[in-house]
Amino acid sequence: FYQPNALIASTTNALMESGTRSYTANQLSEGVDFYGSFLELQVEQDFATITLFSLNKYLKESLKFVEEVIKSPTFPESEFKIHITNKRQKHAINSQKVNILARRKFTELLFGQEHPYGIDVKDDDFDTITLADVQTFFRNRYNSQNCTIIASGNLPLDILETLNNSFGAKPWGISEQIARDESFNKLIRSTSTQKHFIEKDDAIQSAIRVGRILFNKTHPDYFKFQVLNTILGGYFGSRLMANIREDKGYTYGIGSGLNNLVHAGYFYISTEVGADVTNQTLEEIYKEIKLIRENLIDDKELETVRNYILGHFLRSVDGPFSLADKFKAIWEFGLDYDFYDNYFAAVKSVTTLELRELANKYLQERDLIECVAGKKG
């Protein structure tokens, strides 16, 4: 969300473990491995994360490598060039895949070409990004005022002291915390053209995306809409799966979801089908959406989905890493654990009439944007 141009945030994060003031890339890798630990760096739309998986007895030894990666990466130019070359090659390969083409174009159609959520990597971006861009982005974003630490597991009693010794003894990085820039919300420009097609003559399959800008988990309709989404395409027993996979045999899988971003959210239906049944698949998708708008959901079907949602949640909180993920999922949005209590209450209390009202409010065909990459058979 905060990068001035494409590629910068992901390149910065990836290169942080390619060498530091005290360690080469090999020394970092071997040092972390020596203590049975694992380091994972990741960039999403709104946050970058550095995750350490460690045994308790070697936590302090492992943290010294994490501290180096966060505070003093050197960004060797040779590693930068290798990374960009590899990314360029991967981008070229992915650009031949219909599912990648559809995903890229779909978010651009939803948010517009000037919005951070709508911008995707173009071929020219690999020529314009510089090592100075990466170094500047690191200085501006990776600092103690802009950092949050989440720890979970069978934590040692001195965990706070240990973390403070590494990261809290004194400020690091620039001293000013950079506020979240809300101005981009004003730049969301969804396309006014409903249907879009990216033709690929040699495609065996077509990738389909159908959806619209909606809301994220801070919206009051979020909980009950999740129930509606699960019925439509949110699990293996959903209506879209029953129709398009089980009955028609057009695809191995189809699903729908609500993608939560800090500054926005969007609803999507996603699948890949044989090019010769692309049009038929689209017809069936809109048919299922129409049915869920017009007819009340059967009580038995609703009860099945209630049980699925609650059971799936119980399975998703098994273990310390899952618990950390569940906390992160609410912390990112400024929410507390009441979020989950409200979620359970909504799942248990939502009525079939409320679900039909939500479908008519948010799933009108005229509001949905369609993007197909491949062939229309």
Side-chain angles (χ1 to χ4, degrees):
F1 190 87
Y2 303 101
Q3 62 182 359
N5 294 297
L7 282 176
I8 295 176
S10 62
T11 301
T12 302
N13 192 260
L15 291 180
M16 287 173 66
E17 60 177 346
S18 64
T20 70
R21 185 172 50 207
S22 303
Y23 303 104
T24 65
N26 285 338
Q27 288 172 331
L28 284 170
S29 177
E30 292 171 0
V32 172
D33 285 346
F34 179 78
Y35 292 109
S37 299
F38 178 70
L39 199 59
E40 182 178 75
L41 286 79
Q42 185 177 11
V43 168
E44 298 171 346
Q45 292 281 21
D46 297 293
F47 292 92
T49 56
I50 299 175
T51 305
L52 172 69
F53 303 91
S54 174
L55 298 171
N56 276 347
K57 61 181 178 180
Y58 295 130
L59 178 60
K60 294 178 182 178
E61 290 84 354
S62 299
L63 274 176
K64 70 179 181 181
F65 297 109
V66 180
E67 183 178 3
E68 280 279 329
V69 167
I70 292 178
K71 291 183 180 180
S72 55
T74 54
F75 300 110
E77 186 171 6
S78 59
E79 295 291 338
F80 169 77
K81 291 179 178 179
I82 292 170
H83 176 80
I84 294 300
T85 298
N86 291 340
K87 288 279 286 188
R88 188 197 298 268
Q89 293 172 345
K90 185 176 180 180
H91 178 78
I93 294 171
N94 285 338
S95 296
Q96 302 302 313
K97 300 176 181 178
V98 292
N99 64 321
I100 301 293
L101 292 174
R103 176 181 57 78
R104 290 174 182 170
K105 187 64 176 179
F106 184 59
T107 52
E108 178 186 305
L109 295 170
L110 289 179
F111 291 99
Q113 296 183 14
E114 296 183 1
H115 194 280
Y117 294 153
I119 295 173
D120 203 1
V121 178
K122 304 291 192 297
D123 292 342
D124 292 346
D125 293 326
F126 295 97
D127 297 319
T128 57
I129 185 173
T130 67
L131 183 57
D133 293 331
V134 170
Q135 294 167 331
T136 299
F137 189 78
F138 172 79
R139 286 195 300 269
N140 288 342
R141 292 294 165 183
Y142 288 83
N143 61 81
S144 55
Q145 295 300 309
N146 210 31
C147 173
T148 296
I149 299 174
I150 299 171
S152 72
N154 186 17
L155 300 171
L157 295 177
D158 63 347
I159 182 64
L160 291 179
E161 179 184 354
T162 298
L163 292 173
N164 275 322
N165 287 338
S166 294
F167 304 105
K170 60 182 180 179
W172 43 272
I174 63 172
S175 60
E176 180 182 358
Q177 183 177 15
I178 300 176
R180 293 181 180 179
D181 185 356
E182 303 290 345
S183 63
F184 282 112
N185 287 329
K186 302 174 184 177
L187 295 177
I188 293 178
R189 297 288 185 269
S190 294
T191 178
S192 58
T193 304
Q194 187 177 15
K195 297 182 185 295
H196 301 261
F197 179 56
I198 305 169
E199 187 168 8
K200 197 162 177 15
D201 291 335
D202 59 345
I204 299 173
Q205 287 189 312
S206 292
I208 296 172
R209 298 291 186 278
V210 176
R212 58 165 296 183
I213 292 285
L214 212 51
F215 42 71
N216 63 20
K217 61 181 64 176
T218 62
H219 193 278
D221 284 340
Y222 172 81
F223 301 121
K224 293 178 180 179
F225 187 86
Q226 284 286 54
V227 179
L228 179 69
N229 170 71
T230 304
I231 292 170
L232 178 63
Y235 78 123
F236 193 80
S238 70
R239 293 185 176 191
L240 289 173
M241 284 287 281
N243 180 344
I244 296 170
R245 174 193 155 104
E246 301 300 327
D247 183 41
K248 303 296 188 303
Y250 292 162
T251 182
Y252 285 109
I254 182 171
S256 64
L258 190 58
N259 197 355
N260 286 285
L261 304 167
V262 169
H263 301 273
Y266 63 89
F267 167 76
Y268 66 92
I269 296 170
S270 172
T271 189
E272 292 177 58
V273 301
D276 58 327
V277 294
T278 303
N279 289 329
Q280 296 94 312
T281 300
L282 288 165
E283 290 173 4
E284 295 301 321
I285 287 173
Y286 291 120
K287 185 183 86 172
E288 290 298 338
I289 294 173
K290 183 179 180 182
L291 286 171
I292 213 166
R293 284 200 313 264
E294 294 182 348
N295 302 324
L296 287 175
I297 293 163
D298 182 81
D299 288 335
K300 184 177 180 181
E301 182 180 12
L302 176 55
E303 189 61 27
T304 297
V305 168
R306 286 193 222 272
N307 292 333
Y308 168 79
I309 291 174
L310 296 174
H312 179 74
F313 183 88
L314 284 176
R315 291 191 298 273
S316 72
V317 292
D318 181 20
F321 307 136
S322 299
L323 289 173
D325 288 340
K326 279 290 183 286
F327 173 76
K328 183 171 176 283
I330 56 176
W331 166 81
E332 290 180 345
F333 293 85
L335 301 168
D336 56 32
Y337 281 114
D338 287 345
F339 171 85
Y340 293 117
D341 295 328
N342 295 333
Y343 182 33
F344 302 147
V347 170
K348 292 175 182 177
S349 66
V350 66
T351 67
T352 57
L353 182 59
E354 286 177 311
L355 291 173
R356 187 173 68 179
E357 290 172 349
L358 285 173
N360 279 280
K361 185 176 182 180
Y362 296 117
L363 296 181
Q364 292 293 336
E365 188 171 333
R366 64 177 179 270
D367 298 324
L368 299 175
I369 295 170
E370 173 190 308
C371 181
V372 177
K375 287 182 181 179
K376 282 193 173 183

